[in-house]
Amino acid sequence: MTQAGPTASAPRPDGSRIAVVVNGNAKSVSHEVIATLDEILEGGDLYVSRRVEDSEAIAASLLDRGYDTILTGGG
């Protein structure tokens, strides 16, 4: 897990790449939720935004890494 972007991203068995971006300040995004997502994603594809200023760096990382799918959560 990372604040602005992961250091590595493994492709899925079908070759697709999935990233998850969550609002770390959302009430439903607890430390436990972040830890669970990080474990499921094997520590490479989770982005946690805590400030509006994080959005540009996260967007750049998502584009640079060429994700096929980007899921978002936390309102």
Side-chain angles (χ1 to χ4, degrees):
M1 174 206 46
T2 184
Q3 299 299 323
T7 57
S9 175
R12 304 293 172 211
D14 66 357
S16 67
R17 299 178 66 212
I18 299 171
V20 176
V21 181
V22 296
N23 173 357
N25 296 322
K27 196 180 334 180
S28 61
V29 180
S30 65
H31 177 71
E32 182 178 305
V33 168
I34 291 170
T36 300
L37 287 170
D38 196 38
E39 184 177 320
I40 291 168
L41 295 168
E42 299 175 355
D45 300 307
L46 177 62
Y47 295 79
V48 178
S49 174
R50 298 205 182 270
R51 304 173 307 134
V52 163
E53 294 81 11
D54 296 337
S55 62
E56 287 186 38
I58 290 172
S61 290
L62 295 171
L63 290 171
D64 288 345
R65 296 184 181 276
Y67 288 101
D68 299 293
T69 303
I70 300 168
L71 306 173
T72 61

